[in-house]
Amino acid sequence: MSTTAVSARPSSQPQQETAYRILFIIGLCHLLNDSIQSVIPAMFPILEKSMGLTFSQLGMIAFSLNIVSSIMQPVIGMATDKKPVPFALPIGLTFTLFGVLGLAFAPKYEWVVVSVLFIGLGSAVFHPEGSRVAYMAAGPRRGLAQSIYQVGGNTGQALAPVITALILVPLGQVGAAWFTVVAAIAVGLLIYIAFWYTGRLQLELSTLSKKNQSAANSNKKISKAVWGALVLILFLIFARSWYISGMTNFYAFYAIEKYSFSIGQSQLFLFAFLVSGALGTFFGGPLADRFGKKTVIFLSMILTVPLSILIPFVPSAVAFILLILGGFVLMSSFSVTVVYAQELIPGKIGTMAGLTVGLAFGMGAIGSIVLGYIADTFGLTSMIIFTGFLPVLGILTLLLPSDKIVSEWNS
């Protein structure tokens, strides 16, 4: 019988203590993985100058990175729900290592695109399996566990401005080669995680009756109400991802144009936005454990609206404060949407992680193309103003079933 259901269905597993050591290691690996990914948007100002790229071409590079991850994450999640593959984690990061090496020495635009495809593939393997490890190590604290895992990734993304200022500005494109060392460290840590993952699967397989119960539950037919809630949560991720994509990929250019900033100054603003987002990610999970996932998702979107709308119309000092507040509030729902989807369709932990996190990459990818086109056609200011209204779509959170109803569906 498949090992899938054993690893995927939480209620079928023996009650375990929260494995904080594993959570912190997988969170660190997430930081290393996403810091590597952050090299790509961090290099945009450098690539724009050295290769003479347009905003649309930069958007295509971001699209190439994210769309591979978006397509492959749910596929890998579904495959590993059927048969978990613990050592897929270090193998995936090895693909990333080769992608970073190619990026550092790419002679032209086309080679940059090929290199980021490798990085995207490595990310596609890492994210659903990393989320599964966090779920398996969570014990009774699922929100906190997912927050520890996700905050690692968001912290890695927040390092992009620092990477630009300290490594890429002085060293240029070839500076990306330093991140092969980062990838190698992540591979080593993930080998350790893979052995723990294997041991946990063997422990769970030792209880045959629970395995059979889990298999039955994981094959239960999904109702129309559950499908509707899943589509809605994915749409909310779409709105959040487009906003994050616009800010991450293009706000540095906007700050340079509007405030006459240097590259380093613009990266400081972006760094503040991303670091506050990482903090919001961490606190969102525990808040959801206490006040409910739907409540946190709703407030994170709606409270962001006045902040995001004001950002293009205020002086730089005020914009800096609004970026910090907006990043914290909006990203507080990042890990919560993952857990909400995993509890919505239990037994499909990898699939739901692949859809929610993968969709975030995919929607960010499409957003990069569309927003790049808007910036080229209508100007950066118009594009930033447009993105500021996207969190308004968070009002649709009111249509989501409550945490209590989701629990009743799965009882």
Side-chain angles (χ1 to χ4, degrees), residues 35 44 116 153 163 310-311 313 317 392 396:
S35 69
F44 279 3
V116 300
I163 291 167
L310 283 173
I311 284 173
F313 303 103
V392 173
L396 296 175

Side-chain angles (χ1 to χ4, degrees), residues 83-117:
K83 185 175 178 60
V85 184
F87 283 89
L89 285 164
I91 292 171
L93 258 292
T94 302
F95 277 99
T96 297
L97 189 154
F98 287 116
V100 171
L101 197 60
L103 179 65
F105 299 102
K108 55 183 180 178
Y109 168 70
E110 290 78 9
W111 282 102
V112 172
V113 172
V114 171
S115 297
V116 300
L117 289 175

Side-chain angles (χ1 to χ4, degrees), residues 17 35 40 94 173 203 271 290-291 294 368 371 375 397:
E17 295 289 332
S35 69
I40 296 167
T94 302
Q173 181 181 342
L203 176 64
F271 177 70
R290 181 168 183 178
F291 299 108
K294 179 179 176 178
S368 297
L371 296 176
T397 307

Side-chain angles (χ1 to χ4, degrees), residues 40-102:
I40 296 167
M43 288 182 68
F44 279 3
I46 293 169
L47 292 174
E48 187 235 357
K49 287 187 175 181
S50 65
M51 295 186 180
L53 303 183
T54 65
F55 288 127
S56 295
Q57 286 176 313
L58 294 174
M60 182 58 71
I61 292 171
F63 176 84
S64 300
L65 170 70
N66 294 333
I67 199 64
V68 171
S69 186
S70 175
I71 292 172
M72 293 303 297
Q73 277 193 50
V75 172
I76 291 170
M78 286 187 284
T80 54
D81 277 336
K82 294 180 180 179
K83 185 175 178 60
V85 184
F87 283 89
L89 285 164
I91 292 171
L93 258 292
T94 302
F95 277 99
T96 297
L97 189 154
F98 287 116
V100 171
L101 197 60

Side-chain angles (χ1 to χ4, degrees), residues 199-213:
R200 179 56 65 92
L201 289 179
Q202 292 172 346
L203 176 64
E204 292 164 357
L205 280 169
S206 65
T207 309
L208 182 61
S209 62
K210 293 183 178 181
K211 181 182 70 172
N212 291 335
Q213 176 190 359

Side-chain angles (χ1 to χ4, degrees), residues 148-396:
I148 291 172
Y149 169 66
Q150 296 294 352
V151 77
N154 290 341
T155 302
Q157 294 170 18
L159 292 175
V162 177
I163 291 167
T164 300
L166 299 182
I167 299 176
L168 298 179
V169 169
L171 298 179
Q173 181 181 342
V174 73
W178 283 100
F179 287 86
T180 58
V181 177
V182 175
I185 293 171
V187 170
L189 291 172
L190 289 172
I191 290 173
Y192 174 82
I193 288 287
F195 280 111
W196 175 88
Y197 185 166
T198 302
R200 179 56 65 92
L201 289 179
Q202 292 172 346
L203 176 64
E204 292 164 357
L205 280 169
S206 65
T207 309
L208 182 61
S209 62
K210 293 183 178 181
K211 181 182 70 172
N212 291 335
Q213 176 190 359
S214 174
N217 286 333
S218 68
N219 290 326
K220 188 169 70 172
K221 186 177 180 180
I222 301 172
S223 68
K224 289 183 179 180
V226 171
W227 277 118
L230 179 61
V231 169
L232 183 54
I233 197 71
L234 294 180
F235 183 78
L236 292 169
I237 292 171
F238 151 83
R240 185 184 65 203
S241 299
W242 269 45
Y243 180 77
I244 297 298
S245 175
M247 301 303 287
T248 301
N249 292 322
F250 300 110
Y251 186 79
F253 294 107
Y254 173 77
I256 291 170
E257 180 180 289
K258 181 177 177 64
Y259 304 121
S260 300
F261 281 175
S262 66
I263 291 178
Q265 290 173 315
S266 69
Q267 293 296 316
L268 177 62
F269 272 53
L270 184 57
F271 177 70
F273 174 74
L274 294 173
V275 167
S276 64
L279 289 173
T281 298
F282 178 77
F283 285 103
L287 287 172
D289 283 339
R290 181 168 183 178
F291 299 108
K293 290 175 280 296
K294 179 179 176 178
T295 299
V296 170
I297 294 169
F298 175 74
L299 292 177
S300 76
M301 297 285 285
I302 295 304
L303 295 180
T304 302
V305 172
L307 306 173
S308 61
I309 289 176
L310 283 173
I311 284 173
F313 303 103
V314 295
S316 60
V318 179
F320 186 79
I321 296 171
L322 294 180
L323 283 167
I324 291 173
L325 294 175
F328 182 91
V329 174
L330 184 63
M331 292 303 289
S332 65
S333 66
F334 190 89
S335 63
V336 181
T337 51
V338 177
V339 177
Y340 186 93
Q342 288 175 332
E343 295 188 356
L344 193 63
I345 308 182
K348 303 293 182 184
I349 302 304
T351 304
M352 291 302 102
L355 277 175
T356 51
V357 181
L359 185 75
F361 280 108
M363 291 300 100
I366 296 172
S368 297
I369 296 292
V370 175
L371 296 176
Y373 176 79
I374 292 173
D376 282 334
T377 306
F378 301 103
L380 276 170
T381 300
S382 297
M383 186 270 288
I384 295 294
I385 291 172
F386 169 76
T387 58
F389 283 90
L390 289 171
V392 173
L393 296 172
I395 193 70
L396 296 175

